[in-house]
Amino acid sequence: MGGVDKPALPVGGSRMRDRVLAAVAAARPRIVVGPADDLPPDVLDVREQPAGGGPVAALAAGLALLDGTDAGHASPGPDTAHDGPGPDGADGDGETRRAPVDCVAVLAGDLPLLTAAAVHGLRAALDRSTADGAVYVDDAGHPQWLCGVWRPAALRRALDRLAARHGGLTGTSVRALMAELTVAEVSWLGLGPPPWFDCDTDEDLRRAEEWTR
């Protein structure tokens, strides 16, 4: 789409990025990886290294920031996408600490039709399985890798193995990362449009706009 900041494009009167964040409004923390302006005050942002290094490098950056918030005091504003527990307990100084995160949602920023119900459906599927993650599959059986929830420890191990094989994560593919993981595939049985619908073209934007009316 000409190099524009796609997640900042509006659908149904709201930026696509904001619609994705709304679908995980109960998550703590929420982390956005990539350039982002005007984020809610409780959302963190981080950049992959190097900038433009691809979605796998972006995922690694988000997990690294998650590790920092997970291990220490609660801090305002995380990035995208994890549907985990909220703040729990306090340290000796009365400062709130976070409970360990046992589930992280990894979501593209251009999913304007994503809903909280769709994310909860993924979480329920993961809870019922022993898999590393749960993702939606489309009608043709294709996994929607950037519309899923994962066990963070499994993601970290997979990232480490992939980096060791390739000498780093820059430019590696999501498909290669997912080959390291076991996945529970979930069919969308809800009403309405598919939650994994992303916007890569102007026509996609028009279709999404029609669905939100």
Side-chain angles (χ1 to χ4, degrees):
M1 298 182 71
V4 301
D5 180 8
K6 283 199 305 176
L9 296 176
V11 170
S14 298
R15 297 180 303 181
M16 288 192 281
R17 180 187 299 119
D18 294 338
R19 297 178 73 92
V20 174
L21 287 169
V24 289
R28 294 296 183 273
R30 293 182 295 169
I31 298 169
V32 170
V33 183
D37 297 322
D38 301 323
L39 291 173
D42 69 327
V43 176
L44 299 178
D45 68 286
V46 67
R47 291 302 306 269
E48 71 277 18
Q49 296 299 324
V56 177
L59 173 56
L63 276 178
L65 184 57
L66 174 64
D67 290 342
T69 60
D70 193 18
H73 299 307
S75 57
D79 181 6
T80 268
H82 105 290
D83 191 21
D88 181 28
D91 64 16
D93 297 324
E95 293 181 284
T96 302
R97 288 183 178 274
R98 293 191 185 281
V101 173
D102 63 353
C103 180
V104 59
V106 178
L107 306 167
D110 61 345
L111 305 179
L113 308 177
L114 186 70
T115 63
V119 177
H120 291 160
L122 289 169
R123 177 64 189 264
L126 183 62
D127 288 345
R128 292 192 301 266
S129 79
T130 59
D132 296 326
V135 301
Y136 281 114
V137 293
D138 64 18
D139 291 342
H142 299 136
Q144 304 302 305
W145 297 124
L146 296 182
C147 188
V149 299
W150 303 89
R151 305 187 198 279
L155 281 178
R156 294 181 188 106
R157 290 192 297 268
L159 287 165
D160 287 346
R161 290 193 296 266
L162 192 64
R165 272 207 310 277
H166 293 272
L169 296 173
T170 301
T172 55
S173 70
V174 173
R175 186 180 298 274
L177 175 65
M178 298 309 166
E180 302 283 336
L181 296 157
T182 60
V183 181
E185 297 184 346
V186 183
S187 298
W188 172 242
L189 302 178
L191 300 176
W196 60 81
F197 182 85
D198 61 353
C199 293
D200 293 328
T201 67
D202 291 335
E203 177 59 27
D204 291 338
L205 278 173
R206 284 192 289 272
R207 290 182 64 194
E209 189 73 38
E210 290 172 0
W211 265 322
T212 59
R213 290 175 184 164

